[in-house]
Every structure is written in structure tokens, then in C-alpha cells.
Amino acid sequence: MKVSALIMVSMLAAGCFADEEPMRKVAAISEEKPAAVPTPEEIVANPLPTQLANEPRVRQNVVQTKCAAVPGGWGAQGTARNPGKKPVTYKIVVYFTTTKATTLDYAQALVTVPPGKTVPWSAKKEFQAKKEMLCPMPGISLVS
């Protein structure tokens, strides 16, 4: 917004115009741009975790091989490997997003991998999914 427009809005809100009532001016501005009303086709996103553990150094050990619809929702799957000498447990958080990057829901998987092995993992969730979805993994961490 330009500075002159900001000053004008401030003056309107403060009632600095003597020729008209300030509330009528503000109401006129509001009537020009009504608030957007959600349409029935829009899907309401479910609550998401507010904090995610993410360890970039372990991401190379977790691969996603599939992101697809499951009965009643959406799911992701892949493999996790353990190049170390002790068993490890990974926590994998998958967001289920629209193709326009709106996160509708999430799921997580805990997968224990023996030393030197690769095992499959999957995370799925029942929710009202769109026809096409994406499965980014914002949180991959070691639990043990």
C-alpha cells in the first residue's frame, strides 16, 4: 500500500474529514470489498502439530516411494535404512497437502531399523482428501 493510501485510510479511521461522518466512510470502504465467504467445495484443514523435530543429517536414510489415496483418506510409504551399528527408530511426519500447498492433515510413522538393514514404513490418515494430493515430509528425526 502506498504511503498516501495509508494516510488516507488513517484519516478515514480517525474521522479527519469534516464533510462526512467517519463511520459512514469506513462502512463504505468495507462495503466495496466484502469478506470472502468459503464455498462448500473448500475443505477445512485439521489441526497440525505446532512443533516438529527435524534432523537434516538423517533425511538421507528415509525415502518416500509412494503418495496415494487410501480408503477414506491418503497415505505415504517408503523405506528407512540404518547404516549404523545399533538399532535406530525414526519418527517420520508426513503432511498431506493440496497441489496448491494447503496442508489438510498429517500422519506420522515410527519405524525401528536394525543395524545395516532397510525396512519399509507407511503413514496414512483418514480425512476428506482432494482428488490429487502431495506428501511432503517436514519432520524426520531419530527417536532412539
Side-chain angles (χ1 to χ4, degrees):
M1 187 180 277
K2 292 184 179 178
V3 173
S4 60
L6 266 175
I7 292 170
M8 178 71 85
V9 169
S10 297
M11 290 173 71
L12 285 171
C16 294
F17 290 98
D19 61 340
E20 290 190 41
E21 223 176 89
M23 289 306 287
R24 194 154 76 215
K25 280 275 196 191
V26 173
I29 291 171
S30 297
E31 288 171 4
E32 289 175 21
K33 295 182 180 179
V37 177
T39 63
E41 299 84 45
E42 290 181 297
I43 297 175
V44 177
N46 291 319
L48 300 173
T50 57
Q51 295 182 355
L52 293 174
N54 185 47
E55 299 177 45
R57 66 181 178 84
V58 300
R59 279 190 165 272
Q60 66 190 4
N61 298 328
V62 177
V63 176
Q64 185 182 119
T65 58
K66 188 173 183 180
C67 172
V70 297
W74 210 264
Q77 62 186 40
T79 59
R81 72 181 181 97
N82 178 1
K85 297 186 187 304
K86 297 178 184 176
V88 295
T89 300
Y90 296 105
K91 180 178 182 180
I92 304 162
V93 178
V94 180
Y95 277 0
F96 300 114
T97 72
T98 66
T99 56
K100 296 191 186 236
T102 300
T103 304
L104 300 181
D105 216 323
Y106 77 101
Q108 64 183 21
L110 290 174
V111 58
T112 301
V113 186
K117 300 289 183 184
T118 299
V119 300
W121 63 266
S122 68
K124 62 182 178 177
K125 188 73 167 267
E126 288 186 19
F127 66 101
Q128 187 178 0
K130 291 279 195 178
K131 188 175 183 178
E132 291 184 53
M133 300 285 294
L134 304 174
C135 301
M137 300 184 301
I140 298 175
S141 59
L142 280 174
V143 177
S144 64

